[in-house]
Amino acid sequence: MESIVAQFESMLKWIVDNIDGPLWDITVITLLGVGLFFTITTGLVQLRLLPRSIREMWSGRAAEGESLTPFQAFATGLASRVGVGNIGGVATAIALGGPGAVFWMWITALIGMSSAFAESSLAQVYKIRDPNGMFRGGPAYYITKGLKAPWLAVAFAITLIFTFGFAFNAVQANSIVEATRNAWNWNASYVGISLVVLTAIIIFGGIKRVAQVSAKVVPMMALFYLIMAVIILGMNIEKVPAVLSNIVQSAFDFSAMAGGMFGAIFSKAMIMGIKRGLFSNEAGMGSAPNSAATSDAKHPASQGLIQMLGVFVDTIIVCTCTAIIILMSDNYGSEALRGVSLTQQSLEFHVGEFGLHFLAFILLLFCYTSIIGNYAYAETNVRYIRNTPSFVLGFRLVVLFFVYFGAVRDGGIVWAFADTVMASMAMINLVSIILLAPIVWLILKDYQKQIQSGIQQPKFKIEDYPNLIKRGVDPEVWKSTD
């Protein structure tokens, strides 16, 4: 088994060494470009309608049927975002890119909020109702129906499977091993085998029940982490201005340049901030639309605004808390510490040994439930490609291999592989939402028109836009019941 894992690691290193750099050069330009495009063409939707997004989220708590409410879809998306990206991802960005990486995480989030609005609104527009009466959808659906490009939808589904089913699950397993080794000195191989067994039990039978539990547990764990962060910030409030100043000043230090064809204009801080920002908030990646489509929102823009708010909470609030905790400790700058270890040692600096154990326990729950959630995302796309028992079985076995691989291998190659496949997935989605931009503008215009006319809870009526039916929208989903 060890020789197979070692050979596979060598293959991944070759892929990363030859593809990751050039691919991310293009992805950075595309990610920022698409974000700026939607920021401008929607009239700064992420700033103008941010208060409205809070209202939509809060008013969307009431359930009216079998599908998820807008609030539940928001909570599901937020639960998948808040986790190792906010804890280990921020630390990795700071360790490799310096404090300035945090600034570029902020920029990625603020610009990406408009992309998040676009992709989640499109997911709502093109959602379908399955035989059980539940809504489902996502990029594979709006690419197939809106762009009439099923081949591109399959390509997206494949990259999502590699990203969430394989790479991200390896990252989660690696983070569990690192956290538990630091706190309790647990053996990596034993942890890896245990994770494989626990994951197998879920993916071969009990995913619905665990999903119900994780939907309650994960937000609670996120709240506990935020409370801990607020307490630490309160204890060191006098240091916060200096830390924030350091972040901004370091963001424009181009003495440490990135590699690749655009290395002359990209610093390491910028590249690491954008990479870890995308991993954490997923804005434009194409993952959040899968949960956004499950909502029974009455207007596509409503869920778009709610998912946009999730990006803000994830990066501007949670990631910033982690960054300040790290930068206020005496562990920052140590070459021996990065990722989860850096965050754990920083918490230990502030609150003693309790912080080490607290974060290990939090990450154990975060990462395990993320493995389950990642698997669910990926299985949906596996069944989109080929819904046969043998094909799904093969996929499940590969997922279990990656869980073990992530547990027993170095975090560097695991994160690098995740970066590579994540960029591939994001590129397909970003190009797709640009091509579908006129529909995003139409949806936003309709929503704003209703708000301006005094309607407090806008409802989308497909009868007003018959051309959308020709563009692949299911009229039964949006048929007016008034």
Side-chain angles (χ1 to χ4, degrees):
M1 181 67 177
E2 180 61 28
S3 62
I4 296 176
V5 172
Q7 291 176 6
F8 185 72
E9 182 179 20
S10 297
M11 182 182 72
L12 286 188
K13 284 183 177 179
W14 184 90
I15 293 173
V16 169
D17 291 342
N18 290 275
I19 297 177
D20 186 67
L23 179 59
W24 266 101
D25 286 336
I26 300 171
T27 302
V28 167
I29 295 294
T30 306
L31 185 69
L32 297 179
V34 172
L36 286 171
F37 173 80
F38 279 111
T39 295
I40 295 169
T41 58
T42 60
L44 299 173
V45 64
Q46 63 266 57
L47 299 181
R48 289 190 302 107
L49 297 183
L50 183 60
R52 182 74 196 183
S53 69
I54 299 173
R55 178 172 180 172
E56 288 283 1
M57 179 271 294
W58 190 250
S59 64
R61 292 170 295 139
E64 295 183 3
E66 294 297 324
S67 296
L68 297 181
T69 66
F71 178 80
Q72 288 172 329
F74 166 77
T76 301
L78 188 61
S80 70
R81 286 188 178 106
V82 176
V84 68
N86 307 86
I87 298 171
V90 174
T92 300
I94 293 174
L96 299 179
V102 180
F103 175 86
W104 293 109
M105 291 183 76
W106 294 340
I107 296 299
T108 302
L110 290 173
I111 294 177
M113 286 170 69
S114 63
S115 301
F117 170 81
E119 63 181 357
S120 293
S121 296
L122 287 169
Q124 272 287 309
V125 170
Y126 285 101
K127 68 184 179 182
I128 64 171
R129 195 183 294 273
D130 66 19
N132 297 319
M134 301 287 288
F135 291 122
R136 57 188 173 93
Y141 293 84
Y142 58 68
I143 292 173
T144 298
K145 294 175 174 293
L147 295 180
K148 310 297 183 186
W151 63 271
L152 187 60
V154 171
F156 175 84
I158 291 172
T159 58
L160 187 145
I161 291 166
F162 271 83
T163 302
F164 280 84
F166 306 153
F168 281 11
N169 277 343
V171 167
Q172 304 296 338
N174 187 269
S175 298
I176 289 176
V177 167
E178 186 177 352
T180 54
R181 181 175 55 226
N182 293 337
W184 308 311
N185 199 31
W186 286 2
N187 180 276
S189 295
Y190 293 158
V191 173
I193 293 172
S194 299
L195 285 174
V196 168
V197 173
L198 292 172
T199 303
I201 291 173
I202 300 307
I203 67 178
F204 281 101
I207 192 168
K208 288 185 178 179
R209 180 175 299 176
V210 175
Q212 291 172 350
V213 174
S214 64
K216 298 177 181 178
V217 173
V218 173
M220 187 63 67
M221 292 298 99
L223 179 61
F224 287 159
Y225 179 73
L226 281 176
I227 291 173
M228 172 69 75
V230 170
I231 291 173
I232 293 173
L233 293 181
M235 292 167 53
N236 300 273
I237 194 67
E238 73 283 353
K239 298 180 182 179
V240 173
V243 170
L244 294 176
S245 176
N246 186 23
I247 289 173
V248 175
Q249 291 178 9
S250 301
F252 300 96
D253 179 7
F254 287 84
S255 59
M257 305 306 298
M261 69 180 82
F262 296 117
I265 59 174
F266 294 155
S267 67
K268 285 186 177 180
M270 186 176 183
I271 291 294
M272 288 309 304
I274 293 173
K275 281 185 177 183
R276 296 286 74 84
L278 180 61
F279 180 91
S280 178
N281 61 52
E282 303 177 16
M285 190 193 300
S287 51
N290 290 275
S291 61
T294 62
S295 164
D296 64 353
K298 305 309 176 188
H299 198 288
S302 299
Q303 197 64 43
L305 291 173
I306 291 173
Q307 294 298 330
M308 182 184 80
L309 178 64
V311 175
F312 181 87
V313 172
D314 172 270
T315 304
I316 306 301
I317 297 178
V318 184
C319 287
T320 300
C321 287
T322 299
I324 293 176
I325 288 172
I326 293 172
L327 295 174
M328 288 192 305
S329 74
D330 64 352
N331 298 301
Y332 161 63
S334 172
E335 294 184 0
L337 291 175
R338 64 180 59 178
V340 170
S341 296
L342 177 55
T343 308
Q344 279 186 298
Q345 294 299 321
S346 298
L347 277 175
E348 186 177 23
F349 171 81
H350 291 295
V351 297
E353 190 176 349
F354 168 76
L356 197 68
H357 300 294
F358 170 79
L359 193 60
F361 178 71
I362 291 288
L363 275 174
L364 190 60
L365 291 175
F366 271 154
C367 295
Y368 179 61
T369 53
S370 291
I371 288 174
I372 298 167
N374 291 344
Y375 168 81
Y377 268 165
E379 187 192 89
T380 297
N381 286 269
V382 166
R383 293 186 182 277
Y384 173 85
I385 295 173
R386 188 176 179 184
N387 191 12
T388 63
S390 59
F391 193 67
V392 174
L393 173 62
F395 161 69
R396 288 171 174 172
L397 294 176
V398 177
V399 168
L400 296 178
F401 170 81
F402 270 94
V403 169
Y404 182 79
F405 175 83
V408 299
R409 307 318 284 184
D410 176 70
I413 184 62
V414 172
W415 278 95
F417 175 57
D419 283 340
T420 302
V421 292
M422 175 176 67
S424 303
M425 175 181 165
M427 281 296 298
I428 296 175
N429 184 61
L430 290 167
V431 171
S432 299
I433 63 177
I434 277 285
L435 295 175
L436 291 169
I439 296 177
V440 176
W441 301 332
L442 183 149
I443 294 301
L444 179 59
K445 182 179 180 180
D446 180 84
Y447 180 86
Q448 292 179 142
K449 181 180 179 181
Q450 292 189 49
I451 292 296
Q452 291 167 1
S453 65
I455 300 174
Q456 295 304 308
Q457 293 296 328
K459 292 185 178 181
F460 184 67
K461 299 179 181 180
I462 192 65
E463 303 94 299
D464 296 338
Y465 302 99
N467 286 337
L468 285 183
I469 299 176
K470 298 178 182 179
R471 293 292 303 270
V473 177
D474 184 351
E476 294 301 316
V477 170
W478 293 108
K479 188 176 182 180
S480 176
T481 57
D482 293 344

